[in-house]
Amino acid sequence: MEARTKMLVLLLFLSPMIGELLSGSAPPLEFFSPLTVLVFLMLYGCGTLLIREARVRWGLQWSVVFLSAAYGIIEEGLCVKSFFNPGWVDMGALSAYGMFLGVQWPWTISLIVYHGIMSTLVPILIVDMLFPQNADRPLVGRKGIVIALLCITFLTVWGMTYFGTVIGGVMVPFNAHPALMIGGLASVLALIWLAHRFRRSRIASSSHIVSPWVFGVFGGDFMFANLLIPDTMARMGIDSSIAILSQLVLIGLAALFVKSQLLNERATKRHTAGLVTGIILMFVLLTPIMELNGGRHMVLTGAVTLLLLIAWRRNVLNNNVLL
C-alpha cells in the first residue's frame, strides 16, 4: 500500500477514534457499530482530511487553527446543535448554563477547543509525524476533496434534521432558531476566509524553549482544564460570566504557549511529540473514571491507546519512516 494511502486511511479512522472513542463519548460497543463508524468517518474523518488538505495546499502555519475551530462549529453547532440545545444528551450540569442569545457559551467554547484539538489537529500531527516525507504532500486529488465535502455536508444536513433530545429512548429532533443556524454557518465561512487570508503569515519565535516534558504537561493540563473549568463552575453555581472569562484566559495562555514554544525556531519533533503525548495521556488516565461511570471497556481502550502511543513515539523519535 502506498504511503499516502496509508496516511489517508489512518487519518480517516484516527480522527473519530480520538475525538469520540478515547473521550468516552462513544465507548467501544457503541463506536464499533458499522453504522456508527460510517457516520464518524463521513463527519470526523472527512472534516479532518479537508483541514489537512487545506493546510498543505494553502501552505498554512498557525492559521490552520481557524479551520479546526470551524470544524468544531460544524459538528457541535450545525450538525448536533448542542450549542443551542439544553436537552442535548451530554450537557449534564452545563445544560442552559451561560445561555445568552440562544447559545450555551461555556459549553460552546469548551467544545470548539476540544474538537479543534482532539478531533483534527492531534490526528493530523500524529499521521504527518509518522510519515514525515509526505507531511507536506496532498493525500487526495480534486475528486477526493469533492467526495469529502459531499460526505461532511450530507452528514451535517442529516444531523440538522435528526439530532435533538432523547426522550424515553427516542430521539426527538431539536429545531434551533434559523438565526442561530445562519450565524453558525456564517462563522464557519468567516473562519475559512481567515485561514486563507493569513495563509502566508508565519510565526518563528526565538525565545527560550522549555523541555519536551513541559510541552507534555502543558498539553495534558490544558485539555483537562478546558473540560473541567466550565463543568466545575456550573456545578458550584458560579456565575457563568466568570466561567467564560476563565475559559478565554486559558485560551489566551495556550495561544502564548503556541507562539513562544510550539512555533519556536528551536522546537524539535521531540517537543511536538511531547505535546501530543501529554494530550493523549491525559485522556488515557481518565479511562478508569469513564469505566466507573458506565463506559464499558474504557480501561481496555485506554490500555490499547497507551501501547499505540508508545509505539508511535518510538517510531517518530527513532526516525523510523513508515513506507
Side-chain angles (χ1 to χ4, degrees), residues 201-225:
S201 177
R202 295 290 184 271
I203 295 175
S205 172
S206 58
S207 61
H208 170 74
I209 191 164
V210 297
S211 65
W213 72 265
V214 176
F215 273 65
V217 171
F218 180 85
D221 287 350
F222 173 76
M223 292 307 301
F224 186 67

Side-chain angles (χ1 to χ4, degrees), residues 116-165:
I117 295 175
M118 294 295 290
S119 302
T120 62
L121 297 182
V122 167
I124 290 172
L125 276 174
I126 289 175
V127 172
D128 284 348
M129 292 180 74
L130 268 180
F131 299 86
Q133 293 180 330
N134 294 300
D136 294 316
R137 297 178 63 188
L139 298 183
V140 295
R142 186 173 300 177
K143 183 178 179 180
I145 292 175
V146 171
I147 292 174
L149 279 170
L150 289 175
C151 285
I152 192 171
T153 300
F154 172 79
L155 254 297
T156 302
V157 173
W158 173 76
M160 288 179 184
T161 60
Y162 172 73
F163 287 118
T165 305

Side-chain angles (χ1 to χ4, degrees), residues 173-235:
F174 173 81
N175 298 313
H177 193 283
L180 294 174
M181 302 300 288
I182 293 172
L185 178 59
S187 298
V188 169
L189 296 176
L191 287 166
I192 294 173
W193 178 83
L194 285 170
H196 187 265
R197 168 66 177 78
F198 291 100
R199 65 190 183 281
R200 296 187 180 91
S201 177
R202 295 290 184 271
I203 295 175
S205 172
S206 58
S207 61
H208 170 74
I209 191 164
V210 297
S211 65
W213 72 265
V214 176
F215 273 65
V217 171
F218 180 85
D221 287 350
F222 173 76
M223 292 307 301
F224 186 67
N226 177 63
L227 298 176
L228 185 68
I229 287 175
D231 187 71
T232 299
M233 291 192 174
R235 293 179 187 277

